[in-house]
Amino acid sequence: MMAGMTGEETRTAMSPPIRSSAQDAELQPPATRAWMTRVVIIGIVLTALNLRPAITSLGALLEEVRDGLGMSGSFAGLLTSVPPLCFAVFGVMAPRLARRFGPAAVVCAGMVAIAAGLAIRPFAGNTAGFLVASALALMGIAVSNVLMPVIVKRWFPDRVGSMTGLYSMALALGTAAAAAVTVPMTRALGGSWHAGLAVWAGLAAVAVLPWIPLVRARGTALSRDAVSAPASAHGVPSPSGAGQEPSPLRITRSRTAWALAVFFGLQATAAYITMGWMAQIFRDAGVPAGTAGLLLAVTMVMGVPLAFVIPRLATRLPHQGPIVVALGVCGLVGYAGLYLAPAGGAWAWALLLGIANCAFPLALTMVGMRARTGAGVAQLSAFAQSTGYLISIPGPLLVGVLYQHSGGWGLPIALMAGLMIPQIVVGILAGRDRTVEDEAARRR
């Protein structure tokens, strides 16, 4: 598989080269470099598997958690809006932490935080403790969200699409698995929601292991240089930058960065609305509850294969606009179907919306393609994800308000379809062949 990936990303190869892991570790024996590469791949996959179970496992048992903790409906609504808020707030910290401690160390700490938070929250005993422990886990997810594109860019500069696809596929698999398995696993463990939630801490603990040798390693692409050293045209740090931390980019001066942030926010809005409300739309249309759950699972599972294909395709194109348009059209047709015949064509609409939700791996791929350096990727990833998750917070809440006050799904579905139009526009702008470093330099 690795041989098939090599040389496929022509767009990445056209960009000014950055220092690869092989160049960083050139003095190490080939066997050592190959071993470390395998460990990095394992670390990326295990990390991705852990970036959503904290959210979807809670959604599967939310009613039991509410009853067990005496949680009010308002507090439960607040709890569902906490993930994007934490992603926005804590994601901003990731580049600074990575410059100081190295990306591998920060991701390793993130996995520890996820494991600790998931182990503590079922036994916190009250809603405040449950919320604090959830925030600890979400903090680990937030910093890992931001740094995964950085690690992919630095360790696999010629395979950004393939590795982003592998990472996105594992993330989608973890999301779907936690949603589908949590309830039956809880029953198998005696019916206790505490055990059903806590069991996911074990998966996070396993994800800590591959990062430990990488944190201890020196002279690799996952050291502090991975986000602090600029890349010259020859693939090595410039002499003037040796031993110095470069000035951060003025990322807000880049139109591409803003376009990518808004694109990320709008696709996240659509994803959270889908996860939170699509099953209810089908149920209100007369679809049985069990079937509605299966339809939602189908939508989520669509991300597993497509999350691997779309990034590979994106890196072969000089402009990612055609993919943005194709995904957007699938979303518009899916929403039109939900409005006109929600029950009659339910399976088709679920498939189409599952395809539309694959804008997420496309956004991650464009983060790696729109910056040349490790520092640029770190800043762009933090800016796009933090700003994007802030943008996504009101969406699911607004859908609930419209549904409650209108008494039906016409206005909410119209809102979902309407948001797809600006998503397509900003996605086309974000997909243009340019880098944030060039734009920030031109606008000084």
Side-chain angles (χ1 to χ4, degrees):
M1 182 180 74
M2 300 302 293
M5 294 179 184
T6 304
E8 66 182 9
E9 280 80 10
T10 56
R11 162 62 185 86
T12 304
M14 291 168 61
S15 300
I18 66 171
R19 187 173 54 177
S20 68
S21 60
Q23 290 169 320
D24 277 331
E26 193 162 344
L27 296 180
Q28 297 177 351
T32 301
R33 295 199 300 271
W35 174 82
M36 292 184 67
T37 300
R38 294 189 189 98
V39 173
V40 172
I41 294 173
I42 294 170
I44 288 173
V45 171
L46 287 176
T47 296
L49 286 171
N50 281 280
L51 294 184
R52 292 299 181 270
I55 303 168
T56 52
S57 63
L58 175 60
L61 295 173
L62 186 57
E63 184 176 345
E64 289 80 1
V65 173
R66 286 181 58 187
D67 293 341
L69 296 178
M71 192 181 296
S72 68
S74 299
F75 192 90
L78 173 65
L79 196 61
T80 60
S81 65
V82 165
L85 179 61
C86 287
F87 293 165
V89 172
F90 296 124
V92 176
M93 303 162 50
R96 180 174 296 181
L97 292 172
R99 284 195 296 270
R100 181 169 181 180
F101 301 106
V106 178
V107 173
C108 184
M111 294 300 103
V112 172
I114 295 171
L118 295 185
I120 293 170
R121 75 175 181 178
F123 308 102
N126 54 63
T127 55
F130 191 93
L131 182 62
V132 171
S134 295
L136 175 62
L138 292 168
M139 178 176 65
I141 295 172
V143 296
S144 301
N145 272 337
V146 171
L147 293 180
M148 280 295 99
V150 178
I151 290 173
V152 167
K153 178 77 169 182
R154 294 300 301 187
W155 199 271
F156 306 98
D158 57 340
R159 287 175 282 172
V160 171
S162 294
M163 294 308 301
T164 302
L166 182 64
Y167 154 71
S168 301
M169 186 171 63
L171 190 151
L173 182 61
T175 303
V181 172
T182 297
V183 172
M185 188 164 53
T186 300
R187 292 172 183 160
L189 293 172
S192 169
W193 64 265
H194 304 83
L197 291 182
V199 72
W200 293 102
L203 181 62
V206 173
V208 175
L209 301 179
W211 296 106
I212 294 174
L214 297 171
V215 172
R216 294 177 176 174
R218 295 294 182 266
T220 73
L222 294 180
S223 68
R224 295 177 209 181
D225 288 344
V227 291
S228 64
S232 74
H234 300 289
V236 294
S238 60
S240 60
Q244 300 178 8
E245 183 176 303
S247 300
L249 290 171
R250 298 196 176 213
I251 198 76
T252 55
R253 295 189 175 187
S254 167
R255 293 177 180 175
T256 297
W258 278 108
L260 190 51
V262 176
F263 178 71
F264 196 96
L266 291 174
Q267 67 80 27
T269 300
Y272 279 105
I273 289 173
T274 298
M275 285 188 288
W277 293 107
M278 196 178 80
Q280 190 65 49
I281 294 174
F282 286 128
R283 292 183 67 175
D284 287 351
V287 175
T291 304
L294 285 176
L295 289 165
L296 178 58
V298 166
T299 299
M300 297 168 67
V301 168
M302 285 298 296
V304 177
L306 291 180
F308 188 67
V309 173
I310 289 175
R312 290 165 63 96
L313 177 61
T315 51
R316 293 170 186 250
L317 299 176
H319 192 307
Q320 288 72 51
I323 304 178
V324 171
V325 173
L327 297 178
V329 169
C330 287
L332 289 172
V333 174
Y335 290 132
L338 281 182
Y339 181 81
L340 297 172
W347 293 102
W349 317 142
L351 287 170
L352 286 169
L353 292 174
I355 295 171
N357 281 347
C358 287
F360 174 71
L362 177 62
L364 290 180
T365 305
M366 289 196 288
V367 167
M369 297 177 70
R370 298 287 88 89
R372 284 200 308 269
T373 65
V377 173
Q379 282 189 256
L380 179 58
S381 182
F383 176 74
Q385 294 199 45
S386 297
T387 305
Y389 281 123
L390 281 176
I391 292 171
S392 73
I393 291 172
L397 300 176
L398 183 56
V399 166
V401 170
L402 290 175
Y403 172 59
Q404 180 177 348
H405 286 277
S406 67
W409 286 107
L411 285 178
I413 291 174
L415 172 66
M416 299 178 215
L419 291 176
M420 193 60 65
I421 303 300
Q423 178 178 319
I424 293 172
V425 172
V426 295
I428 292 172
L429 295 175
R432 295 175 297 176
D433 187 7
R434 55 194 63 193
T435 64
V436 293
E437 289 92 345
D438 291 342
E439 288 186 340
R442 284 198 302 267
R443 297 175 69 85
R444 285 177 184 172

